[in-house]
Amino acid sequence: MYEEQVKRLQEIIDDSERIVFFGGAGVSTESNIPDFRSSGGLFKQQYRYSPEEIVSHTFFMRKTEDFYEFYKNKMMFLDAKPNAAHLKLAEMEAKGKLTAVITQNIDGLHQAAGSKKVLELHGSVMRNYCRKCGKFYDAPYVKYADGVPRCECGGVIKPDVVLYEEGLDSGIINESVRMIREADTLIIGGTSLVVYPAAGFVDYFQGKHLVVINKSETAKAVGAELSISAPIGEILGQIQVR
């Protein structure tokens, strides 16, 4: 299955020297991390508050305990392991084919797989800081704290993730745009391209090959040369990096 599409993807990768990968939640579903917007995704489940409301800055500030109850259970998957997609992208970077991974994910799996140049648009559950003194805390400290995790100074710890109502890091945005502009190939994977401004990054691509690998059709018509409707790990796992 997908033999012809995988063959074409192999040809594109062989023809490329500066690949940038732009990925979303679908990259991690094969690591058993649920996505947000599919039929079984986080945003389709029923809670006392909507997930969009819970992961907002206002909710974090006003109902911190409720925020952390949801966040620890539904957004922190510390036992998850990189899948074939993460591993292949790290291999592509190590062999000089891929220049950057730009991700909307917060799970840290690209780094766990060995990727070095990872631009995290929405931050990471792996980094957490005291709002009072700025002290760093790792993910297990937050995950296994009773109730609201607190610093030794008494301050509330906040995850280094971009919540609703918060702006993206301008430095990461600018670097992402630069990497996409300089790429000869852009591979978009595991994202429906509905979240802005990230979805608009595709417009900066000026290279030769545009590829989309996503189980469902992307919401934004990007005019891809190659589009594969399949799990991304299943597809990338078949690629040889030469």
Side-chain angles (χ1 to χ4, degrees):
M1 200 171 180
Y2 309 113
E3 290 90 349
E4 288 303 314
Q5 291 165 308
V6 171
K7 180 182 177 184
R8 180 60 191 138
L9 178 59
Q10 183 71 65
E11 292 170 350
I12 289 171
I13 289 174
D14 289 344
D15 185 49
S16 306
E17 295 179 350
R18 296 185 311 281
I19 299 170
V20 167
F21 179 81
F22 179 84
V27 177
S28 293
T29 53
E30 290 167 273
S31 295
N32 296 317
I33 295 179
D35 64 6
F36 290 86
R37 290 177 173 80
S38 71
S39 59
L42 209 52
F43 285 3
K44 296 291 193 295
Q45 299 176 27
Q46 297 299 313
Y47 304 100
R48 191 154 50 118
Y49 306 96
S50 73
E52 292 99 327
E53 182 182 0
I54 296 171
V55 292
S56 69
H57 179 82
T58 297
F59 195 90
F60 173 81
M61 298 299 292
R62 292 180 180 172
K63 296 181 178 292
T64 311
E65 193 162 339
D66 289 333
F67 168 89
Y68 266 116
E69 182 181 355
F70 177 89
Y71 178 78
K72 291 178 191 180
N73 291 327
K74 299 296 183 181
M75 300 184 73
M76 300 188 80
F77 297 90
L78 304 191
D79 294 332
K81 299 289 188 286
N83 62 52
H86 300 105
L87 296 170
K88 187 62 65 174
L89 292 167
E91 181 187 353
M92 288 165 65
E93 181 188 43
K95 294 193 175 177
K97 279 279 186 182
L98 182 138
T99 55
V101 168
I102 303 168
T103 181
Q104 299 173 81
N105 295 342
I106 59 174
D107 50 45
L109 290 181
H110 285 294
Q111 292 92 332
S115 289
K116 307 298 183 192
K117 179 76 170 182
V118 182
L119 297 166
E120 295 173 313
L121 297 173
H122 297 152
S124 174
V125 300
M126 299 299 166
R127 299 185 300 270
N128 307 273
Y129 298 95
C130 172
R131 297 189 69 249
K132 187 174 178 182
C133 74
K135 181 180 171 75
F136 169 85
Y137 287 88
D138 63 14
Y141 183 91
V142 169
K143 173 86 170 175
Y144 302 115
D146 289 331
V148 176
R150 291 189 175 272
C151 177
E152 56 191 22
C153 79
V156 172
I157 295 168
K158 183 181 183 294
D160 187 17
V161 298
V162 180
L163 303 176
Y164 282 101
E165 304 166 348
E166 297 178 346
L168 302 188
D169 184 289
S170 60
I172 291 176
I173 290 177
N174 292 337
E175 180 69 357
S176 298
V177 168
R178 184 180 75 82
M179 298 307 295
I180 289 172
R181 270 203 179 117
E182 295 177 358
D184 58 10
T185 294
L186 176 62
I187 300 175
I188 300 168
T191 176
S192 55
L193 292 179
V194 298
V195 178
Y196 279 80
F201 289 176
V202 181
D203 298 334
Y204 293 99
F205 178 63
Q206 303 168 356
K208 291 189 292 185
H209 304 295
L210 178 57
V211 176
V212 173
I213 308 171
N214 193 49
K215 285 204 291 186
S216 60
E217 287 192 27
T218 56
K220 184 179 172 68
V222 296
E225 170 186 347
L226 176 64
S227 182
I228 307 175
S229 298
I232 188 166
E234 180 181 335
I235 298 301
L236 287 185
Q238 300 179 59
I239 294 300
Q240 302 297 314
V241 186
R242 308 191 256 258

